[in-house]
Amino acid sequence: MMGRILQWMLVMIALLLPMYLVRFSVGPLPMTVLEVLILATVVVWIGSRPDFGRLRGHKGLLIASGLFLIAGTIAMLVAPELRTAAGLWRAYIVEPMLVGLMIAVSATPRTIERLVTAIAVSVGVVSTWAVVQYFWLPDGVTIWGTMIGEIPNSYWRAEATRRATSIFPFPNAVALFVAPWIPMLALRGWWYRGVAVLACVAVVLSQSLGAVLGVGAAVFVWMVWYHRWTRVVAIVGAVALGLVLWLVPPQQLATENLYAQKSWSGRVRTSMWAETTEQLTHAPSVAVLGNGLGGYQEAVKPFHRLNWAEIYLYPHNIVLNFWSEMGALGVIAFALLIGCVVRLAYRVRGPIAIGIIGAATVIVVHGVVDVPYFKNDLAVAWWMLVGMAVVLAAPSQKSRKSVQ
């Protein structure tokens, strides 16, 4: 009985990933609905007496995960604000890793199928609202006297510069949430493919160039891998795209407003990367330990160059993000995790396994210009992928087409 309840609670976590947006406090402790669901699932999991035998043979993954936990714990201890860092450690390190562990150890093959379905529903809802919001309801709707679902920023809401935010507070959050799942959903049945198409539309409407490139990179990887003819098409297409980007001025490839937005965004990011690199390398201790969880904004202030631009929570580059938040060990640990997950999925193959490789590709490519991990839903989603890869790689599952 406890086992069945656990399976459905894992599915509910996948379904309700965006519920981190619903926040409240229990005394002095800030919480989210997603956190409560995760902690309740952990209690049920412990009560189910988990068997850790499935982790045998995954030494590399266990070492990478252990290094990641150590790096996160050190980052909490060296952070300038211990209380804030402890909350981030709980939300971005411990709870997501527990989700991955519960899936890896206890999820059944049928649960993996249900997880993908739950994710498809969640991605579908977020993407649908992004489309509706962009074309028809940029000001949201009023329910019981409360305005919900609006585009929160007047610049993003204006018709000429509109960007969909769906249920999130900023546009890139839409793409960060839905884009990694597009390759996995596109390789399944027609309903899932429909959700994948809808998610692609949502990515375009959020105007996240990084996510578009990430999905394109995932498609390229799949084509190179799938068949020799698709490999030829992928290589020819990549060469043709490279020639277009080289020969055609970028302002001719986009509308005036979009070109202006991306030029501004590119200038801010390149400046941010330069000042972050300077800050992280100005002292050996910082180069090794980083700035600690939640320490980036204050640490980079003396190095900030564009006075008219705000200092973001993170430097918007996957290497610099982890380096600043979790030090050099965090960068190494996450790189090892990506390698282990891709290796596991590559050995298994099958639609879900290929989807995991596609998700990792999107995360890395999109991460060149954004923050694909340090957000509640994204951290949990990453560790869900890790857990799913372990389940698919279990010897008893390799021959079962239904979960591949």
Side-chain angles (χ1 to χ4, degrees), residues 43-254:
V43 171
V44 174
W45 178 65
I46 294 172
S48 70
R49 299 180 181 180
D51 177 7
F52 294 88
R54 197 182 277 168
L55 297 180
R56 295 191 189 98
H58 295 294
K59 184 178 179 180
L61 180 60
L62 291 174
I63 291 173
S65 300
L67 291 175
F68 191 83
L69 180 59
I70 291 169
T73 304
I74 294 172
M76 174 187 68
L77 296 175
V78 303
E81 287 286 339
L82 181 59
R83 182 176 176 180
T84 299
L88 297 175
W89 179 76
R90 186 188 78 225
Y92 297 164
I93 309 294
V94 176
E95 291 168 352
M97 291 186 75
L98 283 171
V99 172
L101 180 62
M102 289 188 291
I103 292 172
V105 168
S106 302
T108 65
R110 188 166 182 85
T111 298
I112 298 301
E113 289 284 343
R114 289 170 175 162
L115 282 173
V116 176
T117 301
I119 289 162
V121 172
S122 190
V123 168
V125 170
V126 169
S127 301
T128 298
W129 185 250
V131 173
V132 171
Q133 179 191 65
Y134 186 91
F135 288 109
W136 298 289
L137 293 172
D139 295 317
V141 295
T142 302
I143 298 178
W144 295 323
T146 302
M147 182 67 72
I148 63 170
E150 75 277 14
I151 299 176
N153 183 294
S154 58
Y155 181 78
W156 299 329
R157 194 163 52 245
E159 186 173 355
T161 55
R162 184 169 297 169
R163 300 179 66 187
T165 61
S166 188
I167 63 175
F168 298 108
F170 55 94
N172 282 5
V174 178
L176 286 165
F177 179 71
V178 306
W181 300 108
I182 290 173
M184 186 180 296
L185 299 179
L187 293 171
R188 295 179 63 77
W190 288 108
W191 180 80
Y192 295 92
R193 292 172 187 168
V195 174
V197 170
L198 191 61
C200 288
V201 174
V203 167
V204 172
L205 297 182
S206 72
Q207 294 186 17
S208 173
L209 181 59
V212 172
L213 294 176
V215 173
V219 172
F220 177 81
V221 168
W222 174 81
M223 292 180 72
V224 169
W225 182 9
Y226 184 69
H227 191 274
R228 62 182 180 182
W229 292 113
T230 57
R231 188 178 304 126
V232 171
V233 171
I235 294 172
V236 171
V239 171
L241 179 61
L243 287 173
V244 169
L245 295 177
W246 182 45
L247 297 173
V248 181
Q251 57 266 35
Q252 294 184 20
L253 297 174

Side-chain angles (χ1 to χ4, degrees), residues 316-334:
H316 283 62
N317 172 272
I318 192 168
V319 174
L320 296 178
N321 296 336
F322 279 103
W323 191 5
S324 175
E325 293 297 300
M326 298 173 61
L329 182 59
V331 177
I332 294 169
F334 194 73

Side-chain angles (χ1 to χ4, degrees), residues 215-395:
V215 173
V219 172
F220 177 81
V221 168
W222 174 81
M223 292 180 72
V224 169
W225 182 9
Y226 184 69
H227 191 274
R228 62 182 180 182
W229 292 113
T230 57
R231 188 178 304 126
V232 171
V233 171
I235 294 172
V236 171
V239 171
L241 179 61
L243 287 173
V244 169
L245 295 177
W246 182 45
L247 297 173
V248 181
Q251 57 266 35
Q252 294 184 20
L253 297 174
T255 64
E256 182 178 346
N257 284 325
L258 181 60
Y259 176 70
Q261 287 177 24
K262 297 309 173 187
S263 297
W264 177 88
S265 177
R267 183 183 175 190
V268 169
R269 277 171 166 76
T270 52
S271 176
M272 184 163 45
W273 298 337
E275 63 197 32
T276 301
T277 302
E278 183 182 354
Q279 188 272 324
L280 287 169
T281 56
H282 84 281
S285 60
V286 178
V288 174
L289 298 175
N291 299 309
L293 292 173
Y296 172 73
Q297 284 183 308
E298 285 300 318
V300 83
K301 271 185 180 180
F303 301 85
H304 190 47
R305 299 173 182 177
L306 298 180
N307 294 327
W308 50 268
E310 67 176 297
I311 299 177
Y312 292 99
L313 286 173
Y314 304 101
H316 283 62
N317 172 272
I318 192 168
V319 174
L320 296 178
N321 296 336
F322 279 103
W323 191 5
S324 175
E325 293 297 300
M326 298 173 61
L329 182 59
V331 177
I332 294 169
F334 194 73
L336 289 174
L337 281 169
I338 291 174
C340 289
V341 169
V342 170
R343 180 170 174 270
L344 282 176
Y346 183 80
R347 280 165 41 192
V348 176
R349 310 252 174 154
I352 294 181
I354 296 172
I356 291 172
I357 295 174
T361 303
V362 174
I363 288 168
V364 171
V365 174
H366 191 180
V368 172
V369 294
D370 218 316
V371 189
Y373 183 88
F374 291 101
K375 200 156 84 54
N376 305 60
D377 54 338
L378 304 181
V380 174
W382 165 253
W383 286 98
M384 286 177 62
L385 289 169
V386 175
M388 291 165 69
V390 172
V391 175
L392 294 178

